[in-house]
Amino acid sequence: MHNPQNSNDHDHIYFFMDDKVFSYYNESLEEGYPKTIQEDFPGVPSHLDAAVECPKTECQMDSVLFFKGQNVHVYDIPTKTVKTKSWSHLPNCTSALRWQEHYYCFHGHNFTRFQPVTGEVTGNYPKDARNFFMKCDNFGHGQGYKVPKCSEIKLDAITTDDTGKTYLFTGRVYMRLDNARDGLHAFPIIRSWREVVNGVDAVFSYSDKMYIIKDNQVYIYKGDAHYTLIEGYPKTLKEELNIEGNVDAAFVCPSEDTVYIIQGRSIRAIDLSATPRVVLRDLPLPLSNIDAAHCSSDGIRLYQGAVYYEYESPMILAASRIAPRPQKIPAQLFKCEP
């Protein structure tokens, strides 16, 4: 359970066996457990097949979905009430998983992705879990997979949204890093941003929105459980940011209203709080051929192929006339060969 609003549940792990529930915190069984399932989750049957948490950003309320046969018992955490649904189109789930806002029902060595409110299944399912969730000989991405050299890595864009998730774009795929424990995993860009089909030129995040720049178009997506294109977009660079030409990279620093757009050997500072947008400064850049840029509390990184250049702040970057010493992209970031 991941519910920071309720410290009684947050970061607790629940095991269900027969008619009992076991609650663990910090890998220790909590006092008073095991209990009957009815004591902790009234209205939920015993001898369950699977269970998965569903926060209110993705379900109607903070909930737990309990699976038994073809029935799904939706337990509302705040009110402790249960609604039972029959999802006969789903196979009997022997386990269920929520991962990166997607929900998976596992059955045998196959899995089916489903929508947690309606149970709707979109796409060609079931699929073999050995092709996606693990590396097995002669299966999927484990078959003939060659770890790339770090020198072959090339970023197109990188950004961190308001929730702290970092997105890295390369070619037609993106990788998302929630924390070091989860690691990086690659997905097609069109899986999350359906309108962006041929990669990106630059990406930045601002005010719970993600701005994607491709050619002379700006796509703005509202961040939520899933990114949704705002009505009326894409718009041209001129319409949205009051600039023209090819964009190499872009970044916004935390808690700032300025986006820095890199075009060749120039960097433009644009006020995002102004409507229409205002170009505040147009400054020379001591580097060229920048692929991606990112700003965090640790400073600014400008990526160029397999190396990056680090600056403490936009002010220092703007004042620099000589490029700092390049640093190699760390192997642990991309799981690449040094």
Side-chain angles (χ1 to χ4, degrees):
M1 297 280 277
H2 302 283
N3 186 358
Q5 317 304 324
N6 187 343
S7 57
N8 294 327
D9 292 332
H10 184 52
D11 275 352
H12 286 59
I13 299 175
Y14 292 84
F15 293 85
F16 298 86
M17 186 168 65
D18 299 330
D19 62 344
K20 297 289 193 294
V21 57
F22 301 73
S23 177
Y24 282 78
Y25 183 67
N26 284 339
E27 300 180 7
S28 297
L29 182 67
E30 289 199 279
E31 187 178 349
Y33 285 87
K35 297 179 180 178
T36 65
I37 294 174
Q38 290 285 316
E39 286 181 81
D40 256 9
F41 300 92
V44 173
S46 58
H47 300 278
L48 294 160
D49 296 327
V52 64
E53 181 196 15
C54 186
K56 63 181 178 182
T57 52
E58 296 154 34
C59 280
Q60 294 169 339
M61 295 295 291
D62 286 327
S63 311
V64 181
L65 309 182
F66 291 98
F67 294 81
K68 184 173 182 178
Q70 292 188 325
N71 287 334
V72 181
H73 306 273
V74 183
Y75 181 82
D76 187 310
I77 295 173
T79 63
K80 297 187 176 182
T81 57
V82 177
K83 291 181 180 177
T84 300
K85 304 177 181 181
S86 180
W87 290 347
S88 56
H89 59 283
L90 272 185
N92 286 4
C93 305
T94 54
S95 61
L97 170 69
R98 171 185 177 260
W99 185 59
Q100 296 198 348
E101 292 89 45
H102 292 288
Y103 290 77
Y104 301 89
C105 161
F106 290 86
H107 38 100
H109 55 71
N110 292 323
F111 72 94
T112 297
R113 198 174 84 192
F114 65 93
Q115 206 280 342
V117 176
T118 64
E120 181 183 3
V121 175
T122 323
N124 185 24
Y125 289 96
K127 295 180 179 178
D128 196 316
R130 295 170 293 185
N131 286 329
F132 296 90
F133 285 91
M134 60 205 75
K135 290 183 180 178
C136 295
D137 290 339
N138 303 317
F139 279 92
H141 60 267
Q143 181 180 7
Y145 175 75
K146 183 181 178 182
V147 177
K149 292 186 178 296
C150 293
S151 60
E152 299 170 350
I153 298 294
K154 180 184 177 298
L155 279 177
D156 293 329
I158 178 171
T159 188
T160 300
D161 67 14
D162 289 350
T163 66
K165 298 181 180 70
T166 298
Y167 297 83
L168 304 95
F169 297 80
T170 176
R172 296 191 178 191
V173 303
Y174 78 95
M175 294 165 281
R176 192 177 102 180
L177 180 66
D178 293 4
N179 53 57
R181 180 185 63 188
D182 291 342
L184 284 167
H185 302 272
F187 301 100
I189 291 173
I190 58 172
R191 169 175 158 168
S192 295
W193 301 277
R194 291 180 297 174
E195 296 80 8
V196 184
V197 295
N198 292 312
V200 305
D201 293 332
V203 178
F204 65 90
S205 299
Y206 173 71
S207 185
D208 193 34
K209 297 179 182 65
M210 186 177 288
Y211 292 65
I212 295 179
I213 299 173
K214 178 63 178 175
D215 299 326
N216 73 333
Q217 300 288 304
V218 181
Y219 301 76
I220 302 182
Y221 289 85
K222 181 166 178 55
D224 205 338
H226 305 283
Y227 279 94
T228 311
L229 185 66
I230 292 178
E231 187 177 352
Y233 286 86
K235 293 183 179 179
T236 66
L237 278 167
K238 184 65 177 176
E239 288 176 294
E240 183 59 36
L241 297 176
N242 196 24
I243 60 172
E244 293 179 295
N246 295 326
V247 174
D248 297 319
F251 65 88
V252 174
C253 292
S255 303
E256 290 194 6
D257 297 319
T258 303
V259 59
Y260 295 88
I261 302 290
I262 296 174
Q263 297 178 288
R265 299 198 66 151
S266 296
I267 181 166
R268 289 178 164 180
I270 300 171
D271 186 356
L272 292 173
S273 65
T275 304
R277 307 301 192 204
V278 175
V279 178
L280 302 173
R281 295 179 297 281
D282 195 344
L283 300 164
L285 188 69
L287 294 162
S288 60
N289 301 318
I290 295 301
D291 299 319
H294 184 241
C295 184
S296 69
S297 57
D298 296 327
I300 298 165
R301 287 185 175 184
L302 304 184
Y303 291 86
Q304 185 188 71
V307 301
Y308 67 90
Y309 300 85
E310 201 159 31
Y311 295 85
E312 290 183 16
S313 68
M315 186 178 297
I316 291 175
L317 171 60
S320 297
R321 295 296 174 263
I322 301 175
R325 191 171 186 173
Q327 302 182 56
K328 292 182 180 179
I329 289 178
Q332 64 269 25
L333 179 62
F334 288 100
K335 304 295 186 292
C336 52
E337 290 286 350

